[in-house]
Amino acid sequence: MADPSTSPPLTRASVFEARELIKGLVHHTPTLTNATLDRLASTPALVTEGDGDAGRKPAKPRMRLYFKCENLQRVGAFKIRGAFHALERLKREPGWEEGGGRERGVVTHSSGNHAQALALAARTHGIPAHIVMPSISAAPKIAATKGYGAKVVFSGSTSVEREAVVEKVIEETGARLVPPYDHPDIVLGQGTLGLELLEDSHDIIAAATGAEPSHAKNHGARPAESSFRAPITTPKFPESKKANAGLDAILAPCGGGGMLSGVALACEGTGVRVFGCEPWFEGADDAKRGYEAGKRVEAVSTLTVADGLRTPLGKVPWGIIYERRLVAGFYSVSEDEIIAALKLIYERFKMVVEPSSAVPLAVALFNEDFRALVEREGGEDGWDIGIVISGGNVNLEALGKLFAPKEA
Amino acid sequence: MADPSTSPPLTRASVFEARELIKGLVHHTPTLTNATLDRLASTPALVTEGDGDAGRKPAKPRMRLYFKCENLQRVGAFKIRGAFHALERLKREPGWEEGGGRERGVVTHSSGNHAQALALAARTHGIPAHIVMPSISAAPKIAATKGYGAKVVFSGSTSVEREAVVEKVIEETGARLVPPYDHPDIVLGQGTLGLELLEDSHDIIAAATGAEPSHAKNHGARPAESSFRAPITTPKFPESKKANAGLDAILAPCGGGGMLSGVALACEGTGVRVFGCEPWFEGADDAKRGYEAGKRVEAVSTLTVADGLRTPLGKVPWGIIYERRLVAGFYSVSEDEIIAALKLIYERFKMVVEPSSAVPLAVALFNEDFRALVEREGGEDGWDIGIVISGGNVNLEALGKLFAPKEA
């Protein structure tokens, strides 16, 4: 990975630059709407029994949701954006190519989407990739990573054991480390999905209200892929949206925070508020706790069903999210709420997504603090809310068990 | 249902008229492409062991696939098109409204997608709907049908028992029967998805090759919803597609044949060849057998995993498919091939679809007769093939079992 000191400044303009660098290498994924989910989100009293909201008077928010479908992204997750951007920046690092950097390759430790993303991005550029995975990783994940041409190196399961193996690979091969989220180049790459979501949801609203399309207002000619957006249904809009066709807020899942902080950069100065969404099971809401206490929580140990969100917030994301206050706040949900939202996505939205991707919808449907905010600030007009669907890589067998009715 | 003698003629022009009648009532669903599935379909030797193709030299076809995503349609299946069209035609039947037809309502027997489709269409028009369902139907299906405001009437499971209950409902209420597929108005309604698939795939190809978009060539102004199409990836096209940006063929699943025959009407005179796709398990390939023998097979008893395709071909579809030869032929696949294709749709295309919807992709991937045809006729340029994804209503728990590895 390029030395962070050579990274572009962490600004909205740098996210636009990142988009130029990875154009043609990643998909411009569709932004979709769904009338049933809008109706459910705008119905009071979906409150799950037994959590802290029991007995509380349900809020009556109005919401129109815009789903950014990164499950339809290459390798099935947004991670490919950061991986390609990291390599593009690395290629531009003075001396890297000449010093034999390409031959020495890249290395990371991941058993998830970042592993496959880096493997594919590296193969595309003819760069060797070493992926350190715990030897207990699921066979299909190992196979998929090898399928993208990476060299898989096994390690123990703890982060200490994994990092030791990474060090060894670096020593032996001279490969450059590409971390999964805690680096400016990764943050800027992931942020590109935020730009697409802002523009495409704006255009859906503009098409229905007669407001100006986003490119007229924001930044010249649109990329050709912008025709990929696909509103399945067009919601009814209040009169006020003619003047302001933009989103009011974006809900994004937060694990290590690379994507959330990138989206926050993409929204800087636009007036669109970005919120982080987490499970709270076994302390998985580390970002929320850290944000509220003013101190980053550095370790988490949780087995939340949202397995992409088990990681603590990284330092670079923390600077954007908390120190610069580019994220407006955090909301957390229970395991049951995540599974209920996940089931709705499968049954009503017909999209294959991983559990982590259901966390923002769970916040919109079930978190009474967030719902009360939308009622209070959105009023009769309601809010237009972007929902980041982060990925779609699931074990289909395990999914059946997740949806099975609980035994009494 | 309107008297068939008052139905429009079974022509392509009537499918266009049907589209006008149901405009705004049904979604213009997206047509999507997928680079991974294109690559798999264009790779030889995916032949499943143990079926009739074993030992045969695998064909080397080139295919570019265009998925018509009716799983994203209202009620989760194409059936809503026929149901709305049937009601629009009924409303226009001389004397129906004046004779109290609206108050007497409509009736059908179905435990599947047609039940929910008719329930929603009837509720939209304020017409009472009676749905006869076997009392052993799955609870979620009964709940969903009631959820759309229909009156559910229970019956035994055999077709004789179900029809007896329908007769009784008609006697008591004067409701009009809306059959699931064997009626010209249903056929014309389902055919509208064929028009969208033809136009949207044409436009995807035209955008990439510089050929003329479909509206310039075919039929004046495009409907506003046409912007809903969403090619995720744009395949590389041969030079020849500049002159002819159309599809070469469409593969559609065939149960009762209402949709297949409607799509065949939509393609009449366009040069696009339409093929029916069936499971062959326990004789589910009744349309294929009838087509090849020149005599419609009137009864089928199969428990194929593609549960939407367990019905025998209806008389009206037979007239279009066989007597008028608007369907060019049939291909059938095994249960294992259907499940393999289904799994690929979930894992690589990230779409929730029902098993019946995987049958056309299974034909493209695994049926050596079809693949040899594409190699022979498509040659180096290959074929552009529309694939109808018919619906997405599945039992998520059952799905986990379907994907579980087989015990040795």
Side-chain angles (χ1 to χ4, degrees):
Chain A
M1 187 119 214
D3 185 324
S5 68
T6 70
S7 294
L10 289 167
T11 62
R12 186 165 198 249
S14 296
V15 183
F16 278 103
E17 279 169 31
R19 174 153 82 172
E20 283 308 304
L21 284 185
I22 62 175
K23 200 170 165 177
L25 295 167
V26 307
H27 295 329
H28 182 130
T29 54
T31 294
L32 301 175
T33 62
N34 183 283
T36 303
L37 295 179
D38 282 1
R39 199 178 62 242
L40 289 174
S42 303
T43 304
L46 278 168
V47 178
T48 317
E49 277 178 50
D51 68 12
D53 300 324
R56 186 167 163 180
K57 195 176 164 225
K60 294 179 178 174
R62 295 194 182 181
M63 304 190 197
R64 293 171 297 274
L65 307 177
Y66 302 80
F67 296 90
K68 177 60 171 169
C69 294
E70 288 286 294
N71 60 323
L72 304 180
Q73 185 53 268
R74 296 183 77 183
V75 309
F78 72 84
K79 294 276 185 183
I80 194 69
R81 297 176 182 264
F84 266 120
H85 186 242
L87 293 191
E88 288 301 323
R89 299 287 324 160
L90 191 54
K91 282 161 58 185
R92 285 164 178 76
E93 188 188 84
W96 178 78
E97 181 97 48
E98 300 81 343
R102 179 182 291 275
E103 291 68 32
R104 288 202 291 267
V106 291
V107 60
T108 197
H109 55 92
S110 164
S111 54
N113 292 326
H114 178 60
Q116 294 174 46
L118 184 63
L120 174 61
R123 186 182 68 185
T124 305
H125 289 303
I127 299 172
H130 307 270
I131 313 286
V132 176
M133 299 178 94
S135 49
I136 57 158
S137 302
K141 289 197 171 179
I142 297 169
T145 306
K146 284 185 179 169
Y148 288 117
K151 183 152 185 287
V152 172
V153 190
F154 293 107
S155 73
S157 304
T158 68
S159 61
V160 174
E161 289 169 308
R162 292 163 73 170
E163 278 162 27
V165 176
V166 168
E167 283 310 314
K168 195 156 163 283
V169 170
I170 292 174
E171 222 166 83
E172 287 173 4
T173 64
R176 192 72 77 90
L177 176 65
V178 179
Y181 51 84
D182 208 2
H183 193 287
D185 294 344
I186 297 285
V187 166
L188 292 169
Q190 321 298 30
T192 58
L193 79 85
L195 299 178
E196 294 173 10
L197 174 55
L198 286 175
E199 293 165 1
D200 291 345
S201 51
H202 183 113
D203 287 351
I204 294 170
I205 301 170
T209 58
E212 267 186 296
S214 61
H215 66 281
K217 202 165 147 186
N218 295 340
H219 36 74
R222 296 291 304 282
E225 316 99 295
S226 67
S227 64
F228 292 1
R229 73 185 179 281
I232 298 298
T233 50
T234 305
K236 288 196 180 68
F237 293 94
E239 199 63 18
S240 63
K241 284 286 161 181
K242 273 190 195 167
N244 168 26
L247 290 179
D248 297 286
I250 292 178
L251 296 177
C254 180
M259 186 264 285
L260 173 64
S261 59
V263 169
L265 285 177
C267 293
E268 188 177 13
T270 62
V272 178
R273 277 185 275 187
V274 176
F275 298 98
C277 301
E278 291 177 305
W280 51 248
F281 184 66
E282 296 180 339
D285 56 341
D286 64 287
K288 179 172 190 287
R289 291 182 288 124
Y291 189 93
E292 290 170 1
K295 185 172 187 324
R296 186 170 71 95
V297 175
E298 294 180 20
V300 184
S301 173
T302 170
L303 286 174
T304 172
V305 67
D307 53 0
L309 309 182
R310 292 175 183 170
T311 351
L313 196 61
K315 279 183 205 168
V316 175
W318 172 257
I320 298 165
I321 289 169
Y322 176 76
E323 290 166 12
R324 291 169 59 187
R325 294 292 196 289
L326 292 186
V327 164
F330 283 84
Y331 294 95
S332 66
V333 282
S334 71
E335 300 295 283
D336 283 353
E337 290 165 341
I338 295 168
I339 293 170
L342 187 68
K343 202 169 179 200
L344 283 169
I345 292 174
Y346 277 74
E347 288 184 339
R348 311 308 299 250
F349 196 38
K350 309 296 181 194
M351 285 285 164
V352 174
V353 305
E354 50 198 63
S356 307
S357 294
V359 174
L361 178 63
V363 167
L365 292 173
F366 304 120
N367 186 295
E368 280 295 310
D369 289 332
F370 179 73
R371 294 173 62 77
L373 173 75
V374 177
E375 181 184 9
R376 198 167 60 239
E377 304 214 359
E380 282 297 300
D381 285 357
W383 266 17
D384 291 283
I385 302 171
I387 301 272
V388 178
I389 302 277
S390 48
N393 294 324
V394 275
N395 177 333
L396 292 171
E397 291 163 49
L399 203 67
K401 285 177 205 150
L402 208 60
F403 290 143
K406 280 190 187 156
E407 284 168 34
Chain B
M1 187 119 211
D3 186 325
S5 68
T6 69
S7 293
L10 290 166
T11 61
R12 186 167 199 251
S14 296
V15 183
F16 279 102
E17 280 169 31
R19 174 154 80 170
E20 285 306 306
L21 284 185
I22 63 174
K23 200 173 165 176
L25 296 167
V26 306
H27 295 328
H28 182 128
T29 54
T31 294
L32 301 176
T33 62
N34 183 283
T36 303
L37 295 178
D38 281 3
R39 197 179 64 240
L40 289 175
S42 302
T43 305
L46 278 168
V47 178
T48 318
E49 276 178 50
D51 68 12
D53 300 323
R56 187 168 165 180
K57 195 180 164 226
K60 294 178 178 174
R62 293 194 183 182
M63 305 191 197
R64 293 171 296 275
L65 308 177
Y66 302 81
F67 296 90
K68 177 61 173 169
C69 292
E70 287 286 293
N71 60 323
L72 303 181
Q73 185 51 269
R74 294 182 77 182
V75 311
F78 71 86
K79 294 276 184 182
I80 194 70
R81 297 175 182 264
F84 266 120
H85 186 241
L87 293 189
E88 289 300 322
R89 299 288 324 159
L90 191 53
K91 282 160 58 184
R92 285 162 177 76
E93 187 187 85
W96 178 78
E97 180 96 48
E98 302 82 344
R102 177 181 291 275
E103 290 69 30
R104 288 202 292 267
V106 291
V107 61
T108 198
H109 56 91
S110 163
S111 54
N113 293 328
H114 178 62
Q116 294 174 46
L118 185 63
L120 174 60
R123 186 182 66 182
T124 306
H125 289 304
I127 299 172
H130 308 269
I131 312 288
V132 176
M133 299 180 96
S135 49
I136 56 158
S137 303
K141 289 196 172 181
I142 297 170
T145 308
K146 285 185 178 169
Y148 288 119
K151 185 156 182 285
V152 172
V153 190
F154 292 107
S155 75
S157 302
T158 71
S159 61
V160 174
E161 288 169 308
R162 291 164 72 168
E163 279 161 26
V165 175
V166 168
E167 282 311 313
K168 197 158 163 280
V169 170
I170 293 174
E171 221 167 81
E172 288 173 2
T173 64
R176 193 72 77 87
L177 178 65
V178 179
Y181 51 85
D182 207 1
H183 192 286
D185 294 344
I186 297 286
V187 167
L188 292 169
Q190 321 298 31
T192 58
L193 78 87
L195 299 179
E196 293 172 9
L197 174 55
L198 286 174
E199 294 166 359
D200 291 344
S201 49
H202 183 112
D203 287 352
I204 293 170
I205 301 169
T209 59
E212 268 186 295
S214 62
H215 66 281
K217 202 166 147 185
N218 294 339
H219 36 71
R222 296 289 305 284
E225 314 99 296
S226 65
S227 63
F228 292 2
R229 73 185 177 281
I232 299 297
T233 51
T234 305
K236 288 198 179 67
F237 293 96
E239 199 63 17
S240 63
K241 285 286 161 182
K242 273 190 195 167
N244 168 25
L247 290 180
D248 296 286
I250 292 177
L251 297 177
C254 181
M259 185 265 284
L260 174 64
S261 59
V263 169
L265 285 176
C267 293
E268 189 177 14
T270 62
V272 178
R273 277 185 277 186
V274 176
F275 298 98
C277 301
E278 291 177 305
W280 52 248
F281 183 66
E282 296 180 339
D285 57 341
D286 64 286
K288 178 171 192 285
R289 291 182 288 124
Y291 188 94
E292 288 169 3
K295 188 173 185 319
R296 185 170 72 94
V297 176
E298 295 180 19
V300 184
S301 174
T302 169
L303 286 176
T304 171
V305 67
D307 53 0
L309 309 182
R310 291 174 183 171
T311 353
L313 196 62
K315 281 183 203 169
V316 174
W318 173 255
I320 298 164
I321 288 169
Y322 175 75
E323 290 166 11
R324 292 169 60 187
R325 296 290 196 287
L326 293 186
V327 165
F330 283 83
Y331 294 95
S332 66
V333 282
S334 71
E335 300 294 285
D336 283 353
E337 290 166 340
I338 295 168
I339 293 170
L342 187 66
K343 203 170 177 198
L344 283 170
I345 292 175
Y346 277 74
E347 288 184 339
R348 310 308 299 249
F349 195 39
K350 310 296 180 192
M351 285 283 165
V352 174
V353 306
E354 51 198 62
S356 306
S357 293
V359 174
L361 178 63
V363 166
L365 292 174
F366 304 120
N367 187 294
E368 280 295 310
D369 290 333
F370 178 73
R371 294 173 60 79
L373 173 75
V374 176
E375 181 184 12
R376 199 166 59 242
E377 305 214 358
E380 283 296 301
D381 285 356
W383 268 16
D384 292 282
I385 302 172
I387 301 271
V388 178
I389 301 278
S390 48
N393 294 323
V394 275
N395 178 332
L396 293 171
E397 292 163 49
L399 203 67
K401 285 177 204 151
L402 208 60
F403 290 142
K406 278 186 188 161
E407 284 167 35

